[in-house]
Amino acid sequence: MQRSLPASSHNQVLDLSWLSSNLDEGFVVDDLSKTRSWKFSRRFLDEEKFRETVHKLEQESGFFFNMRHFEDLVTNEEWDEVEKYLSGFTKVDDNRYSMKIFFEIRKQKYLEALDKQDRAKAVEILMKDLKVFSVFNEDLFKEITLLLTLENFRENEQLSKYGDSKSARNIMLAELKKLIEANPLFRDKLQFPTLKNSRLRTLINQSLNWQHQLCKNPRANPDIKTLFVDHSCGQPNGAHAPSPVTNPLLGAIPKAGAFPPLAAHAPFQPTAAALPTPLAGWMASPTPLPYPSASAGPIGLAPQSTPGILNHPRTPPTNNSVMDYQTADSEHVLKRSRPFGISDEVSNLPVNILPVTYSAQNHGQSSYSSDDLPRNVIMTLIQGSPVKSMDFHPLQQSLLLVGTNMGDVMVWEVGSRTRIALRNFKVWELETCSTALQVSLANDYTASVNRVMWSPDGNLFGVAYSRHMVHLYAYNGGDDIRNHLEIEAHVGSVNDLAFSYPNKQLCVITCGEDRTIKVWDAITGTKQHTFEGHDAPVYSICPHHKENIQFIFSTAVDGKIKAWLYDNIGSRVDYDAPGHSSTMMAYSADGRRLFSCGTNKEGESYLVEWNESEGAVKRMFHGLGKRSGGVVQFDTTKNRFLAAGDEFMIKFWDMDNVNMLSSTDANSGLPASPCVRFNKEGILLAVSTSDNSIKILANADGVRLLRTLENRSFDPSRASSGAIMKPPTLAVFPPGTASVGPSLVRPTAGPTIVGVNDSLADVKPRIADESSDKSRIWKLTEINEPTQCRSLKLPDSVPASMVPRLIYTNTGLAILALASNAAHKLWKWQKNERNTNGKATTSVTPQLWQPPSGILMTNDISDTNPEDSVPCFALSKNDSYVMSASGGKISLFNMMTFKTMTKFMPPPPAATFLAFHPQDNNVIAIGMEDSTIQIYNVRVDEVKTKLKGHQKRITGLAFSNVLNILVSSGADSQLCVWSTDGWEKQTSKVLQMPTGRGAAPLAETRVQFHLDQIHLLVVHETQIAIYEAPKLECLKQWVTREASGPITHATYSCDGQLIYVSFEDGSVGVLTTSTLRFRCRINPAAYIPSNPSLKVHPLVIAAHPYEANQFALGLNDGSVYVLEPLESEGKWGTSPPLENGAGPSNASGPISSDQPQR
C-alpha cells in the first residue's frame, strides 16, 4: 500500500509496516481479519494525525467511508477528489443508488459552472460527466442540455427555487447522505467502531507480554529491539523472575477494565469458559442496520438511513498458562461468513423490492395450524386498575398472575373465574430501607407494578415495582401465598425481573433506572453480581443458556443491547436495537429462536427475529403501526406464533413468515398497546382492556380446559369472583390448507361458517346477570342518517366525471382518483393542529393538489369515447409513480411533478388492468382487452412474455409474494393462477354462479389477496367469495339478492378483518371476513345529499392503508367521499354471533343476508 507518512515518523512507520505485513498472520489476536487489522491501523494513523494517509487508506481499502471527510470535500468544491474518494467504494453503474449519487454530484458541478457563466466548463462537464446518464434517461439528458440555451438556468421550472451555490450544495449533501446510507455497498462501512485510545499499542504490548510469559527462561528486563520476529529471551545465566515488557516505542499501557495490570504476573486466572457459538456470534464486529427510507428522486431510488452499531472492545486476560485461551474474538468461537448486522433476509430493501418471504422451517411446530391460536373471547376478569404485567403459571395452565399500575398484585384461577389472592403495595420493613426511599414514600406511598413473573418451578413469583423494591412471594398452592423476600434492588424504578439458574442455583435478576443489572440469590436475597455499563436506564432483561453457558441479554431505553456472563468481567455485546428502540427480548418455547420487540421515541415499532450464530437480524415482521406513546408488548407460543398488542388489537404472526397472519380486536375495548400473555401451552391468551379488565381468549383446547375446570368446585369463601363470561368470537378464516405459508385445515362440505367447535354453550357458567344476557339479541347496525357516521365530500373544482378508479397512497396521506375522462385527481391532507400526522381523515378537508406548473395527469385516449374505455391504474410502492391507462397508451406519471415520464404500448389491444410486480417495480403485469396478460419490463421496454388463458378481457390481477403466483380474473368470470417463476399456468376455475342467475356479458370480476397472501377475495356483481390459493378452492360465497341490484365493488380493510362492499342502489355493506356476514349497512342517505332525480351510487371503494375503519368511495357523479364511524363507536357495527354454527341472521333490505354457500 502506498504511504505518505513524513520521514520524521520513522519509528511509527516501523510499527505500522510490521502490522501491515502481518495482516494475514493475525499476530495481535489470532482471529483478527484484514478488516479488523485495518481498523486498528486506521485508528493508529488517526491518533498520530496522519490525515492524508488515513483518507488514502480509507479509499484504497474500501473498509470505512468517512462521511465527515466526504462532506468537507463537497463543501470545498473539490469535485475531482470527491469522485476519487467515492471510487474506492462504488462505481457509477454499480446500482441505482450509486448512479443517483454520481448524478447529483455532477449535476451540481454543471449548475455551478452555469451559475458562474462558465459555458465552456459547463459543456465539458456535460459531455464528459453527464452524458453517461443519457443511456438510462435520454429525456433527462436532453433537458439538462437545454439549460445551456438559457440566460439563467433558474428560468427552468424545476430549478426556479435554486438559491446560491452554497445552499444548493448543502441541500445536495443532505440528499447524498441519505443515498449513501441506503446504498447496500456502503453497508457496514459508515460506522467506525469505538476503540479505546492507543488500542493498537495495547494489543501489541499484550502480545509481547504473552510471548515473554511463554519464554522458557524469561528475563527480568528483556530488551526488545524489533517487532518483525517473535520475542524470545536468550539462555539465562541464572533464575530470573518474569517481568512485564516495557517498550518505549509503544508507550504506556492503559489498564484493562476488569483484568489485573499487565505488570502483575501473579498466578494465572482461571480460564474463562469458551463461549457457545450462538452467543459468540453476537460478539463480533457489528454492522449497521438500515431502517427508514429516503426520497428517491428522479431516478426512483429509495435511500435508507443507517444508524451505526458499536463494537465493544474487550481486553483478554494477561496471565494464562494455556495457549488456546478463547476470547469473544477467538476464531474457535467465531465461525462467521459475514460481520454482525442485518441479514440479507430483512425487508428494508429498495422501494421496488419487497421482502423475501420464508417457507416453513422445521422447528418442531409443523403440526400446528393457525386455528391453534387462541382468538375466541371466553371471559372477562374485572381488575379495577390498569394492567401492567401478566404471567401464567408454568405448570397450572389456568393460574394467572397480574400486576397493576396501582401496585396491586393478584392471582386469578381462570378456570373458576375467581381471584384467589390480592396483595397491595406495602413495604414490609420500611425501617431497613434506604433513607432516600423512606423520604420518597413519606411524600407519596404509591408504586406501580412494572413486572410480575413466576419462577420456573412455580413455587415463587416476583414483583418489580416502580419504587426501588422487588418482592418475592412463595406460592404453596390454592390461595396460600406468603411473603418470601423483600429486596431494595435499585435506586429509582425496578424496570424488569426474571428468574435464572446460574450454577444450578435459583436466582432472580433485576434491572432498573440506575442503569444496572443485579443478580440475587432467590432463597437468601444475597446479591451475587452487579453489571454496569449501560448509559441509560435498563429497560428489560432476558436470561438464557446455551450449551451449559448461562448469560443475560439486557436492553436500555436508549436502544442499546448488551450481553453478560455471570463473571463480573463486563458486557460481551454492545450494539443498537432496531430503530434504537426500547426493546424486550424473548426466546421461543424450545429456546432455539430469539425474538425482540420494541418501540423508539418516534413511535416506530420493530418485531424481529435474530440469527444468533451471526448476531444479526434474521427477519423483520411487518404489520406494527406507529404509536404516540408506550411500547408495544409481545409474546411467543408453541415455537410457532408471535402475538403483539398494537393499535387496539392483538396481531399474530407465524414465526416463519414476515407478513402478519391475522389479528383480532377481542370484541373491542382494547387499549392502544394492550398487554398480552400466552399460557405455557399456548391455548389461552390474556389481554388487558381499556376498562381495567382482562379478557381471556382461547382456542378449542383452551375451551375444553376451561370447561373442565368450570365444573370443579372451589371454596368461594377464599375467592373474589369478578369474571363475566363472553361468547366465543369468530376466527379470521375457516380451517383450510395451503402448500406454502400458514397451515390451515381444509373445510368439510356444507356451509363454511367458522366458530368454536367446543364452545361453552353446553355448560352453565356463572354469569353476572343471566336474565339480561339472554335478552341481548344481536341486530344488524343500520346507518341511515348523516349524524350516525362521519363523512366528508372531497373538494373538487374540476367538472364532474365518473370516478371508476380510486386508491389511497401507501402512506395514507392522500387519495388518487382516475375519472372516466382520463384525468387524475389527487387530494392531500396537510399537517396542522387538527391533523398532526397529516393522514387522511374526515375531520379535516384535504387540498385538491396540483404542482406549481398547473399541469394535470391526463391519460392518452383512443379514438373511441373515453367514457366507453376501461380505465386502470397502479401506484408504485413508494408513491413516486403511477402507471395509468384509459383506452390509449399506458402512461407513467411522476406523482411529484405530474409530468409524463413515458408512454408505451399503444392500442389495440388496450390495457384494462395494471399491477406492479411485488418484488420489482420495473416489472408490470398488464391485463389486455384481447384477454391476454403481458409481463412487461419498463426499464428495457420489453414484453417478457404473454399469458393466454382467458376468453374475454382481463378485469383483475393480484400477486401473492408468499405463493409466488399471479391470479388473474376476466370478464369471462374465470380465475387463472400463474407461477411468477416461469409464468406457466397452474390452474383455472370458473366462478360458481347463483342458480338461475346470469352475469352481464362483460361483468367485471376483481381479485384481491388477504394479508396472509393465501386467501383470495373474489368480487363479482352477483357475489362475494373467498378462495384459497393456489388451488382455487371456494371456501365461502355470499350471493346478493337480485332486488338489491348488483355489487359495484368490494375490498378488504387494511387489517383483513372486514370487507367493504358497494352496491348499485348507493348503499355500502360492511362484512366480517371470517363469516361473510354483514355487521353494518350504510344507506346512501347517510352520506349522499338527497336528490331523487339522480341515481347516484359508488363505482369503486378503497380502504385506508392503516385505518381499518376508514374507506373512500368514488361515485358515478364524479364525487369522492371518505367515511368513518363515529368516534364514540370506533368501528362499523359488531360481529354477529354464531347461531348454532349455522348461517347469518336475517336482515332485510337491499343487502342480502343469504347464507354463505359452497
Side-chain angles (χ1 to χ4, degrees):
M1 183 182 296
Q2 187 178 7
R3 292 178 174 81
S4 58
L5 294 175
S8 60
S9 305
H10 179 67
N11 288 340
Q12 288 88 339
V13 174
L14 285 178
D15 279 357
L16 182 63
S17 62
W18 164 82
L19 180 66
S20 300
S21 65
N22 287 278
L23 286 175
D24 294 318
E25 298 177 16
F27 182 76
V28 179
V29 178
D30 287 343
D31 79 325
L32 276 181
S33 63
K34 287 186 178 181
T35 304
R36 294 191 182 185
S37 300
W38 173 88
K39 290 176 180 177
F40 288 125
S41 302
R42 186 216 175 257
R43 179 56 184 265
F44 173 81
L45 291 169
D46 195 38
E47 290 173 350
E48 297 299 322
K49 310 300 183 185
F50 299 131
R51 301 299 186 207
E52 291 185 16
T53 305
V54 166
H55 301 318
K56 187 70 173 177
L57 186 63
E58 293 166 352
Q59 175 196 330
E60 292 190 354
S61 66
F63 284 146
F64 171 63
F65 185 83
N66 192 324
M67 188 69 80
R68 180 175 295 179
H69 174 59
F70 177 73
E71 291 176 4
D72 291 342
L73 292 177
V74 173
T75 302
N76 297 330
E77 302 179 61
E78 299 179 48
W79 301 116
D80 291 341
E81 291 300 318
V82 167
E83 291 210 18
K84 187 182 298 183
Y85 188 71
L86 272 174
S87 67
F89 302 87
T90 185
K91 301 293 186 294
V92 175
D93 57 353
D94 279 347
N95 59 37
R96 298 170 66 193
Y97 296 98
S98 299
M99 185 186 301
K100 174 72 169 167
I101 291 168
F102 280 97
F103 174 78
E104 290 296 328
I105 292 170
R106 295 175 182 182
K107 182 184 74 173
Q108 182 63 28
K109 285 170 55 179
Y110 178 65
L111 294 178
E112 290 191 18
L114 288 176
D115 208 26
K116 296 174 183 176
Q117 301 298 316
D118 190 345
R119 301 279 170 168
K121 182 67 173 176
V123 171
E124 179 186 351
I125 296 171
L126 182 69
M127 301 311 296
K128 180 182 176 182
D129 296 333
L130 289 170
K131 188 172 177 60
V132 65
F133 299 105
S134 64
V135 178
F136 306 101
N137 195 328
E138 187 174 356
D139 291 339
L140 181 61
F141 180 72
K142 289 178 181 178
E143 190 171 354
I144 292 174
T145 304
L146 288 175
L147 296 179
L148 287 168
T149 65
L150 302 177
E151 185 68 26
N152 185 338
F153 64 79
R154 294 173 181 82
E155 297 173 18
N156 181 285
E157 182 182 349
Q158 294 187 53
L159 298 172
S160 59
K161 296 183 180 180
Y162 185 96
D164 59 278
S165 296
K166 183 177 180 181
S167 60
R169 279 197 301 273
N170 290 335
I171 294 172
M172 179 194 67
L173 259 178
E175 181 69 13
L176 289 180
K177 288 174 68 176
K178 294 177 182 178
L179 290 168
I180 290 169
E181 289 168 351
N183 194 327
L185 294 177
F186 289 83
R187 187 177 297 167
D188 314 339
K189 300 178 181 179
L190 296 176
Q191 188 74 27
F192 196 77
T194 300
L195 302 177
K196 294 181 180 178
N197 292 334
S198 303
R199 182 62 178 160
L200 178 59
R201 299 173 184 273
T202 302
L203 291 172
I204 293 173
N205 267 357
Q206 288 174 351
S207 173
L208 295 174
N209 270 281
W210 283 334
Q211 293 179 44
H212 182 60
Q213 180 65 38
L214 295 172
C215 287
K216 294 181 179 179
N217 301 289
R219 292 186 177 181
N221 293 293
D223 183 16
I224 300 177
K225 296 181 179 180
T226 179
L227 299 175
F228 288 101
V229 296
D230 289 355
H231 161 71
S232 179
C233 292
Q235 192 70 21
N237 294 324
H240 296 280
S243 69
V245 176
T246 55
N247 190 335
L249 272 179
L250 302 177
I253 305 171
K255 290 184 178 180
F259 298 108
L262 293 178
H265 287 281
F268 294 103
Q269 301 289 326
T271 303
L275 298 176
T277 301
L279 180 60
W282 296 73
M283 301 180 181
S285 299
T287 58
L289 290 167
Y291 290 107
S293 62
S295 173
I299 297 183
L301 307 176
Q304 303 168 351
S305 63
T306 315
I309 298 178
L310 301 178
N311 177 43
H312 183 75
R314 297 184 296 106
T315 307
T318 61
N319 43 2
N320 197 332
S321 60
V322 183
M323 281 294 292
D324 62 348
Y325 174 82
Q326 295 182 13
T327 70
D329 298 325
S330 172
E331 184 177 353
H332 303 289
V333 179
L334 298 176
K335 298 292 185 181
R336 306 186 43 201
S337 59
R338 58 184 192 79
F340 173 91
I342 197 161
S343 76
D344 296 333
E345 299 171 354
V346 178
S347 63
N348 293 292
L349 301 172
V351 292
N352 62 335
I353 301 177
L354 283 189
V356 178
T357 54
Y358 305 89
S359 59
Q361 300 175 8
N362 182 14
H363 293 285
Q365 79 276 31
S366 58
S367 61
Y368 297 120
S369 77
S370 61
D371 294 311
D372 291 316
L373 286 171
R375 288 181 292 196
N376 304 297
V377 178
I378 302 301
M379 67 180 68
T380 300
L381 309 175
I382 307 301
Q383 275 293 128
S385 53
V387 174
K388 290 294 295 293
S389 179
M390 298 183 289
D391 193 30
F392 277 97
H393 194 277
L395 303 177
Q396 301 182 41
Q397 293 295 301
S398 61
L399 205 62
L400 179 64
L401 176 65
V402 181
T404 75
N405 74 341
M406 299 300 292
D408 301 329
V409 180
M410 307 173 186
V411 179
W412 287 89
E413 172 48 62
V414 176
S416 59
R417 301 175 305 286
T418 53
R419 190 181 67 201
I420 63 176
L422 169 65
R423 296 291 187 273
N424 304 117
F425 172 69
K426 181 181 180 181
V427 178
W428 301 342
E429 297 182 9
L430 184 61
E431 63 278 4
T432 64
C433 296
S434 65
T435 303
L437 178 58
Q438 292 185 44
V439 172
S440 175
L441 292 176
N443 297 325
D444 180 14
Y445 200 93
T446 61
S448 170
V449 173
N450 286 334
R451 181 75 157 179
V452 294
M453 181 168 284
W454 291 99
S455 63
D457 58 8
N459 293 328
L460 297 174
F461 66 82
V463 185
Y465 291 100
S466 62
R467 305 286 287 273
H468 298 238
M469 304 301 297
V470 167
H471 283 167
L472 295 185
Y473 292 88
Y475 177 67
N476 302 306
D479 61 350
D480 186 1
I481 296 174
R482 304 178 184 181
N483 297 355
H484 175 61
L485 280 177
E486 179 176 72
I487 303 172
E488 185 174 357
H490 296 271
V491 177
S493 175
V494 184
N495 293 331
D496 199 7
L497 66 76
F499 290 92
S500 184
Y501 277 102
N503 303 318
K504 300 181 180 180
Q505 177 184 7
L506 180 63
C507 293
V508 61
I509 307 164
T510 63
C511 66
E513 193 176 2
D514 58 5
R515 308 179 182 183
T516 64
I517 301 102
K518 297 181 181 180
V519 181
W520 314 83
D521 187 306
I523 305 303
T524 65
T526 305
K527 184 169 66 177
Q528 297 181 333
H529 301 279
T530 299
F531 301 131
E532 297 178 333
H534 278 290
D535 296 324
V538 184
Y539 179 73
S540 71
I541 45 180
C542 177
H544 198 59
H545 64 89
K546 292 279 187 178
E547 302 171 16
N548 298 320
I549 302 297
Q550 301 277 346
F551 55 91
I552 307 167
F553 283 117
S554 64
T555 71
V557 296
D558 61 357
K560 293 293 183 184
I561 299 179
K562 296 178 182 289
W564 317 79
L565 299 180
Y566 295 84
D567 54 12
N568 289 330
I569 290 180
S571 74
R572 301 304 214 277
V573 164
D574 185 359
Y575 60 96
D576 293 329
H580 298 274
S581 55
S582 296
T583 297
M584 296 191 72
M585 308 183 84
Y587 278 88
S588 57
D590 59 10
R592 297 179 181 179
R593 305 175 70 175
L594 177 62
F595 301 87
S596 72
C597 186
T599 305
N600 63 16
K601 295 178 181 178
E602 289 72 36
E604 297 163 333
S605 297
Y606 303 89
L607 175 60
V608 302
E609 179 181 4
W610 296 92
N611 185 327
E612 287 187 271
S613 63
E614 298 185 9
V617 172
K618 183 176 182 180
R619 66 194 69 183
M620 181 175 291
F621 297 89
H622 307 317
L624 291 177
K626 194 168 184 178
R627 63 195 57 250
S628 58
V631 177
V632 66
Q633 305 293 309
F634 88 117
D635 200 8
T636 71
T637 187
K638 291 181 179 283
N639 304 318
R640 176 67 184 272
F641 299 115
L642 301 167
D646 183 47
E647 296 184 309
F648 307 94
M649 64 181 72
I650 309 166
K651 298 179 178 180
F652 299 99
W653 289 263
D654 185 301
M655 289 181 178
D656 294 320
N657 194 318
V658 297
N659 295 307
M660 190 168 68
L661 177 64
S662 66
S663 63
T664 177
D665 65 357
N667 293 348
S668 75
L670 303 187
S673 301
C675 179
V676 295
R677 194 70 172 175
F678 288 104
N679 75 340
K680 296 305 180 278
E681 292 298 322
I683 60 178
L684 300 178
L685 175 63
V687 58
S688 61
T689 69
S690 55
D691 61 354
N692 304 337
S693 300
I694 299 172
K695 290 188 178 184
I696 303 298
L697 288 74
N699 63 9
D701 291 333
V703 171
R704 278 191 288 269
L705 170 68
L706 296 180
R707 184 173 58 186
T708 301
L709 296 174
E710 171 74 19
N711 296 323
R712 293 181 182 176
S713 60
F714 191 84
D715 182 2
S717 64
R718 62 182 187 180
S720 174
S721 178
I724 300 176
M725 295 296 296
K726 301 285 185 179
T729 58
L730 305 176
V732 172
F733 275 111
T737 60
S739 58
V740 182
S743 173
L744 300 172
V745 180
R746 197 166 302 283
T748 56
T752 56
I753 304 302
V754 182
V756 179
N757 295 330
D758 298 292
S759 69
L760 299 181
D762 57 344
V763 299
K764 295 182 178 180
R766 283 171 288 183
I767 299 176
D769 186 355
E770 190 170 347
S771 60
S772 63
D773 222 44
K774 287 180 178 179
S775 65
R776 295 171 190 164
I777 301 176
W778 177 86
K779 187 178 181 182
L780 175 71
T781 300
E782 297 269 3
I783 296 179
N784 301 309
E785 302 291 337
T787 56
Q788 294 178 293
C789 68
R790 292 179 291 165
S791 65
L792 174 68
K793 182 180 180 181
L794 304 189
D796 191 355
S797 58
V798 181
S801 183
M802 290 191 298
V803 179
R805 300 293 179 260
L806 191 70
I807 191 173
Y808 282 87
T809 58
N810 294 289
T811 60
L813 305 178
I815 290 177
L816 178 67
L818 172 58
S820 57
N821 64 358
H824 298 77
K825 302 174 186 178
L826 181 66
W827 289 271
K828 288 186 177 181
W829 275 260
Q830 307 298 317
K831 288 185 179 181
N832 54 40
E833 293 181 357
R834 295 178 59 197
N835 188 20
T836 56
N837 56 20
K839 290 188 177 180
T841 175
T842 56
S843 304
V844 177
T845 303
Q847 173 190 1
L848 181 59
W849 192 85
Q850 282 183 281
S853 62
I855 64 174
L856 296 175
M857 290 189 294
T858 305
N859 281 335
D860 184 62
I861 57 176
S862 62
D863 296 333
T864 60
N865 185 350
E867 302 283 341
D868 297 331
S869 62
V870 179
C872 54
F873 65 5
L875 190 62
S876 65
K877 294 292 184 290
N878 62 348
D879 294 336
S880 295
Y881 305 101
V882 61
M883 195 79 68
S884 185
S886 296
K889 292 181 180 179
I890 300 174
S891 300
L892 176 64
F893 295 102
N894 185 313
M895 285 281 285
M896 299 300 295
T897 64
F898 282 14
K899 283 194 173 183
T900 304
M901 307 300 292
T902 186
K903 293 183 180 181
F904 57 95
M905 205 168 287
T912 56
F913 204 91
L914 300 168
F916 280 100
H917 193 289
Q919 295 170 342
D920 188 351
N921 269 347
N922 295 310
V923 176
I924 309 168
I926 306 173
M928 308 299 288
E929 197 171 28
D930 67 353
S931 78
T932 64
I933 302 164
Q934 301 193 17
I935 307 302
Y936 178 78
N937 191 306
V938 179
R939 178 176 290 277
V940 297
D941 189 19
E942 179 183 355
V943 175
K944 293 295 185 182
T945 187
K946 282 188 179 182
L947 311 180
K948 297 181 180 180
H950 289 273
Q951 281 71 51
K952 294 181 181 180
R953 73 183 184 201
I954 305 301
T955 59
L957 296 168
F959 283 96
S960 169
N961 57 355
V962 168
L963 301 177
N964 293 324
I965 59 173
L966 169 68
V967 176
S968 60
S969 59
D972 55 2
S973 302
Q974 183 181 198
L975 306 176
C976 294
V977 178
W978 315 85
S979 166
T980 57
D981 295 327
W983 297 111
E984 67 274 5
K985 185 177 177 181
Q986 292 186 345
T987 188
S988 64
K989 185 161 289 189
V990 177
L991 255 62
Q992 302 173 12
M993 288 297 168
T995 305
R997 301 270 298 272
L1002 293 176
E1004 291 190 349
T1005 303
R1006 294 297 183 91
V1007 287
Q1008 180 189 5
F1009 270 107
H1010 186 267
L1011 284 174
D1012 63 12
Q1013 297 285 289
I1014 294 173
H1015 292 89
L1016 186 75
L1017 173 65
V1018 178
V1019 183
H1020 186 265
E1021 63 176 22
T1022 65
Q1023 63 187 272
I1024 300 290
I1026 302 292
Y1027 283 75
E1028 184 180 82
K1031 294 184 179 181
L1032 293 183
E1033 180 177 0
C1034 184
L1035 301 180
K1036 59 174 71 75
Q1037 181 187 44
W1038 181 90
V1039 177
T1040 182
R1041 294 172 180 167
E1042 293 185 75
S1044 67
I1047 296 169
T1048 59
H1049 199 250
T1051 185
Y1052 278 122
S1053 62
C1054 64
D1055 61 2
Q1057 300 292 299
L1058 307 175
I1059 298 174
Y1060 296 116
V1061 187
S1062 59
F1063 294 86
E1064 199 173 79
D1065 67 353
S1067 63
V1068 178
V1070 184
L1071 288 80
T1072 298
T1073 300
S1074 59
T1075 59
L1076 283 192
R1077 298 184 64 196
F1078 277 88
R1079 55 190 289 155
C1080 178
R1081 174 171 57 198
I1082 306 167
N1083 289 310
Y1087 68 96
I1088 302 175
S1090 177
N1091 189 339
S1093 62
L1094 297 177
K1095 293 185 178 180
V1096 179
H1097 65 270
L1099 297 175
V1100 61
I1101 188 166
H1104 191 285
Y1106 302 116
E1107 300 295 336
N1109 287 286
Q1110 184 187 131
F1111 61 88
L1113 299 170
L1115 275 57
N1116 62 342
D1117 67 349
S1119 57
V1120 175
Y1121 286 85
V1122 177
L1123 275 73
E1124 293 180 284
L1126 295 175
E1127 288 190 28
S1128 58
E1129 299 292 335
K1131 60 181 181 179
W1132 299 108
T1134 57
S1135 295
L1138 288 177
E1139 298 174 357
N1140 300 322
S1145 58
N1146 293 327
S1148 59
I1151 294 180
S1152 166
S1153 60
D1154 299 340
Q1155 180 170 312
Q1157 303 170 7
R1158 285 301 302 265

